[in-house]
Amino acid sequence: MKAQRWMWIVWPAFLMAGILEMVVFAFVDPLALEWFEQPVVYSRETVYTFSFFVFWLFFLISGSLTMLLSMSSDEVNHRPFPGEQRSIDGARLSS
C-alpha cells in the first residue's frame, strides 16, 4: 500500500488506542490485575505501555483489513493494465 494509505490506518489507530487506554484504565488498576491466578509483577507504567501497543496493534489490523476490503481487484493484484483487458477468470485477452 502507498504511504498515504498507511497513514490513513496508523494515525486513527494511534488515536483510538490512546482513547481505549484511558477508558480501560479509568476503571482497572494495573496493580490489581492477575495473570493465571498470579498477580502481575510489572509496574503500572509497564502495563500501560504494553496494553497501549496491544490496543494499537488490534486497531492497525482492523484498519488494514478495512483498507484491503475497500480496494479494487486491480489494486490488490497489481495489474499493469486496465481491467477491461481481462476476462472474468483473470486471463489476459489478446488485442
Side-chain angles (χ1 to χ4, degrees), residues 12-79:
F14 177 84
L15 294 176
M16 290 307 299
I19 291 169
L20 185 59
E21 178 95 6
M22 288 185 283
V23 170
V24 167
F25 289 111
F27 299 103
V28 177
D29 182 15
L31 298 179
L33 295 175
E34 293 184 358
W35 186 261
F36 295 110
E37 300 180 8
Q38 298 294 321
V40 175
V41 295
Y42 300 110
S43 68
R44 281 190 172 112
E45 291 80 10
T46 303
V47 174
Y48 291 149
T49 303
F50 180 75
S51 63
F52 174 80
F53 285 112
V54 169
F55 295 154
W56 196 8
L57 177 67
F58 284 128
F59 282 116
L60 282 171
I61 292 169
S62 173
S64 298
L65 289 174
T66 301
M67 187 65 68
L68 179 67
L69 292 173
S70 70
M71 294 170 67
S72 70
S73 61
D74 290 334
E75 290 175 305
V76 173
N77 296 322
H78 305 290
R79 293 185 179 159

